[in-house]
Amino acid sequence: LLEMGLPLLQRRRFNKAAAIAEETHLLARAAAEDNMSPEQEAEAAEDAGRMQVPAEWLAEMRNKKFAATFVDLGVERVLDFVEVWEQDLLDMHMPLLNRRRYMKATAVIRDAVLAEF
């Protein structure tokens, strides 16, 4: 994956997807039982991440100056922020209060996504 030039978040996504293949299969089966196709399920998850532009979301918590760094990390939509690790924030030299705001906001997104499933 590194040789392919994939950004860090995309490598993490790939590795996570490979590790939870069985869970994904179970979710797809549950969606089928609820008369929701896998495409509809994916579309619903995409809609949650499209509600706001990442730079706007960062600006709400006074972290807009880090927008370019998040793009370099592989963030393309707000939903991607839940995949950023605290070490990534430390590596970009984000101050403690900014990290706390960020972690609190991503916890809200994560809880909302989990509530959908």
Side-chain angles (χ1 to χ4, degrees):
L1 299 176
L2 191 57
E3 291 174 4
M4 293 171 59
L6 291 178
L8 178 61
L9 286 183
Q10 290 178 347
R11 292 192 312 263
R12 285 183 187 160
R13 287 181 195 134
F14 180 86
N15 291 331
K16 184 177 179 180
I20 60 170
E22 181 63 28
E23 183 179 336
T24 303
H25 173 72
L26 294 174
L27 287 173
R29 187 168 46 182
E33 291 172 3
D34 290 338
N35 294 326
M36 181 183 276
S37 72
E39 292 82 14
Q40 290 170 323
E41 183 180 338
E43 193 172 303
E46 282 288 320
D47 288 342
R50 274 194 222 129
M51 291 182 183
Q52 199 171 23
V53 176
E56 293 172 0
W57 186 81
L58 288 167
E60 285 181 8
M61 66 187 106
R62 298 181 304 235
N63 280 332
K64 189 171 183 170
K65 66 182 177 182
F66 297 101
T69 308
F70 280 109
V71 168
D72 292 343
L73 197 59
V75 172
E76 297 173 350
R77 56 193 180 155
V78 173
L79 198 57
D80 294 340
F81 285 114
V82 299
E83 298 179 58
V84 175
W85 296 351
E86 188 167 8
Q87 185 60 48
D88 299 326
L89 304 177
L90 291 169
D91 291 347
M92 63 178 72
H93 306 289
M94 185 181 283
L96 178 60
L97 288 178
N98 294 62
R99 287 195 314 267
R100 287 181 181 164
R101 286 185 209 115
Y102 174 86
M103 298 304 281
K104 184 177 179 181
T106 55
V108 170
I109 293 172
R110 186 178 299 111
D111 292 345
V113 170
L114 291 175
E116 292 295 319
F117 293 105

